[in-house]
Amino acid sequence: MPNIGVPGLIIILVIALIVFGPAKLPQLGKAVGETLREFKKSTKDIVDDVTEEFKTEDKEK
């Protein structure tokens, strides 16, 4: 994945501001943040489950 950098990030933010407008931008940011938080929580739960299963298999051996 290529490095976006500061100029690319500024361009993306300006385009988002034009497309969604200043009123919707905070709501969009909040939705993206909540989605990322839920995704991280789900992946952590899956990793914890798999790790716990490997530990129980090691104890049985």
Side-chain angles (χ1 to χ4, degrees), residues 33-48:
E34 290 174 355
T35 303
L36 288 174
R37 186 180 319 119
E38 185 65 30
F39 179 75
K40 283 177 61 177
K41 182 180 177 275
S42 298
T43 55
K44 184 182 181 308
D45 289 343
I46 292 171
V47 168
D48 289 346

Side-chain angles (χ1 to χ4, degrees), residues 11-46:
I11 291 171
I12 291 171
L13 290 174
V14 168
I15 291 172
L17 185 62
I18 291 170
V19 171
F20 296 108
K24 293 284 184 179
L25 209 53
Q27 294 172 351
L28 181 65
K30 181 179 177 183
V32 169
E34 290 174 355
T35 303
L36 288 174
R37 186 180 319 119
E38 185 65 30
F39 179 75
K40 283 177 61 177
K41 182 180 177 275
S42 298
T43 55
K44 184 182 181 308
D45 289 343
I46 292 171

